[in-house]
Amino acid sequence: QVQLVESGGGLAQPGESLRVSCAASGIIVDYYAIAWFRQAPGKEREGVSCISSTDTTTAYAESVKGRFTISRDSAKSTVYLQMNSLKPEDTAIYYCGVVFLSCSDYVLEPDIEYDGWGQGIQVTVSS
């Protein structure tokens, strides 16, 4: 059974940085992508970034390119999303999900069916 647990997040001022982590377990396939999505109140879910399990393939939403960096620690089965130069519009609940596809812009589409989700974690950017 796939289990994803997010941690990190919290409150930051505009321009500051935060990191969120996603610890994965129970994934029995070799090829998959871990992605971060976010959802702000009253807005649609937005794919933020993804990373493939077996190589360094990554993808980012245009809104976070150059500010966010996704990485993974395979030994810890953990994926990180480093968020720099945060803006108030980055405020949302951030969810990590696993999909049994390779990372690409396609898997960041909001209507893609994922194979597991974490419980979500709040990120608030406010002065």
Side-chain angles (χ1 to χ4, degrees), residues 12 18 33 36 52 57 61-62 65 79 82 96-97 105 111 116 119 124 127:
L18 285 174
W36 287 97
S52 287
T57 301
E62 286 295 327
K65 278 183 180 177
V79 170
Q82 178 67 41
C96 67
D105 290 339
D111 55 351
Q119 79 284 357
T124 302
S127 55

Side-chain angles (χ1 to χ4, degrees), residues 27-47:
I27 301 174
I28 62 173
V29 299
D30 293 330
Y31 303 103
Y32 57 90
I34 297 287
W36 287 97
F37 280 71
R38 66 186 180 185
Q39 189 161 21
K43 294 188 176 181
E44 291 188 355
R45 186 177 66 173
E46 176 189 20

Side-chain angles (χ1 to χ4, degrees), residues 26-28 32 35 42 45 47 49 51 60-61 64-65 67-68 75-76 91-92 97-98 103 108-110 123:
I27 301 174
I28 62 173
Y32 57 90
R45 186 177 66 173
S49 183
I51 188 167
Y60 295 91
V64 306
K65 278 183 180 177
R67 300 189 298 121
F68 290 12
K76 296 181 180 179
T91 296
V98 60
C103 170
L108 295 182
E109 295 293 325
V123 170

Side-chain angles (χ1 to χ4, degrees), residues 19-113:
R19 188 178 79 165
V20 288
S21 303
C22 175
S25 61
I27 301 174
I28 62 173
V29 299
D30 293 330
Y31 303 103
Y32 57 90
I34 297 287
W36 287 97
F37 280 71
R38 66 186 180 185
Q39 189 161 21
K43 294 188 176 181
E44 291 188 355
R45 186 177 66 173
E46 176 189 20
V48 175
S49 183
C50 63
I51 188 167
S52 287
S53 61
T54 57
D55 57 31
T56 56
T57 301
T58 59
Y60 295 91
E62 286 295 327
S63 58
V64 306
K65 278 183 180 177
R67 300 189 298 121
F68 290 12
T69 303
I70 193 168
S71 61
R72 71 171 191 266
D73 183 335
S74 297
K76 296 181 180 179
S77 298
T78 299
V79 170
Y80 305 98
L81 185 68
Q82 178 67 41
M83 304 180 289
N84 298 331
S85 302
L86 283 163
K87 303 176 181 180
E89 51 263 43
D90 295 318
T91 296
I93 298 175
Y94 284 68
Y95 300 88
C96 67
V98 60
V99 62
F100 300 153
L101 298 168
S102 294
C103 170
S104 67
D105 290 339
Y106 172 74
V107 304
L108 295 182
E109 295 293 325
D111 55 351
I112 297 298
E113 187 172 342

